[in-house]
Amino acid sequence: MGNFYAHIFPGSTFFVLGCWYFYNTIKLYHKRGTHNHQNNFSTFREGLAKIFLCVGGMISECYSSKWVLVLHGNEEIIHSSYGDWQHFTMYLIFLLTGVFDILCVKYGTRGRTISHMSYIFAYIIEASLFYSHFQGRPVLDAECHKLIAYSGMAIAASLVYCLFNPTSIIGSCFCCLLILLHGLWFIEVAFILLSPFSGIRWATDSHAHALLANVFFWWSFIGVALTMLVVAALTDKSYKRHHPRPLGTSSNVDSLEMNGLLDSEEE
């Protein structure tokens, strides 16, 4: 993952995945209501897509790795960059979530729980990999990868909350927000550290640039949150116009909180 496109690829994948989850969260919220809303959207096609993308990522890591032939006595040892093995492991663990997505379709509710747990462990492992990945790197490089690790842990924590609160619309939307941010930050890191375009260059050993990168991360968080809020408000307004709902039909606390947020946005 030592080039521009190797960061764009996983970032785009996470971002599209977050959009897919957010779309289904809003769709099922209006279609089924909060009492029947579920925050797991694993499908057979989604599982196949993950497997295909992860296999592609694993192949690209093997192809782009700096393979080195080391002669040790009479033995020949072939190895590559240890960082590439970390990236390979990240793709491998998310490939397994795709396998569990397919099993989820076959085994129903029990399969959905297992699939959900696989997501939690996948993001924990990814966060662990990137946490050790930035050790010994220049300050800007370390800050960028540190934020990737922290956002991965935040996603894992939100998934744990959703596991025990499967009908929580707020929990589902917040998880989508974090996944979108995770993917967007991967893309931003590509432009910060490995931009192929001429122009402003970031100094990897500059503490000031590391602080600026941190600011950009939180601006991205605010931007994604506001965009999601506007989309949710417009979708809710459009749905109510075409499908008027009788007053008092929903007593779920999350529904009340969501409606309050949307009403304040409309005002």
Side-chain angles (χ1 to χ4, degrees):
M1 200 180 287
N3 60 67
F4 176 78
Y5 298 102
H7 283 79
I8 293 292
F9 178 73
S12 301
T13 303
F14 281 123
F15 192 83
V16 171
L17 188 65
C19 290
W20 168 251
Y21 287 155
F22 184 56
Y23 165 77
N24 280 281
T25 297
I26 299 299
K27 178 182 177 180
L28 294 182
Y29 172 78
H30 291 298
K31 183 177 180 180
R32 300 180 181 178
T34 53
H35 290 291
N36 296 320
H37 164 76
Q38 294 289 329
N39 53 30
N40 189 300
F41 311 111
S42 301
T43 64
F44 184 81
R45 286 179 297 179
E46 181 185 331
L48 286 180
K50 288 179 184 176
I51 293 174
F52 175 78
L53 291 171
C54 289
V55 168
M58 292 163 67
I59 293 174
S60 67
E61 288 296 332
C62 291
Y63 180 77
S64 63
S65 292
K66 298 177 181 178
W67 295 91
V68 180
L69 178 62
V70 179
L71 297 179
H72 182 69
N74 296 326
E75 300 180 0
E76 294 184 353
I77 303 174
I78 298 178
H79 69 89
S80 65
S81 169
Y82 296 115
D84 293 328
W85 280 111
Q86 287 190 314
H87 305 149
F88 184 91
T89 303
M90 181 191 74
Y91 285 117
L92 176 62
I93 196 65
F94 280 103
L95 182 149
L96 294 178
T97 66
V99 173
F100 283 118
D101 283 344
I102 295 175
L103 294 177
C104 165
V105 177
K106 182 177 180 180
Y107 292 103
T109 303
R110 183 178 299 177
R112 283 198 298 270
T113 302
I114 296 175
S115 175
H116 198 113
M117 290 293 295
S118 73
Y119 277 94
I120 295 172
F121 285 112
Y123 281 105
I124 291 175
I125 293 172
E126 185 210 8
S128 174
L129 291 171
F130 276 99
Y131 183 81
S132 61
H133 195 65
F134 65 77
Q135 303 295 333
R137 289 183 174 234
V139 60
L140 176 62
D141 196 332
E143 182 67 20
C144 290
H145 288 86
K146 188 186 302 182
L147 292 171
I148 291 177
Y150 290 164
S151 61
M153 286 301 298
I155 294 171
S158 68
L159 286 170
V160 171
Y161 175 83
C162 290
L163 180 64
F164 293 100
N165 300 273
T167 61
S168 172
I169 183 67
I170 299 298
S172 297
C173 286
F174 188 69
C175 186
C176 295
L177 186 158
L178 293 175
I179 295 175
L180 285 167
L181 176 66
H182 195 60
L184 182 60
W185 185 243
F186 258 103
I187 297 173
E188 291 182 50
V189 168
F191 282 97
I192 292 174
L193 299 178
L194 303 160
S195 177
F197 307 109
S198 59
I200 300 176
R201 292 294 179 181
W202 293 69
T204 57
D205 58 348
S206 171
H207 181 68
H209 284 195
L211 295 178
L212 186 60
N214 190 284
V215 170
F216 281 1
F217 176 83
W218 290 112
W219 282 0
S220 300
F221 176 88
I222 295 171
V224 172
L226 291 177
T227 301
M228 289 179 62
L229 190 59
V230 170
V231 171
L234 294 176
T235 304
D236 187 74
K237 186 174 182 179
S238 175
Y239 187 87
K240 286 179 179 178
R241 183 185 299 116
H242 295 91
H243 305 85
R245 181 184 299 174
L247 294 176
T249 56
S250 177
S251 59
N252 189 281
V253 174
D254 275 343
S255 176
L256 296 176
E257 293 177 353
M258 187 66 176
N259 290 335
L261 288 173
L262 296 176
D263 291 338
S264 62
E265 178 69 16
E266 292 174 2
E267 294 176 358

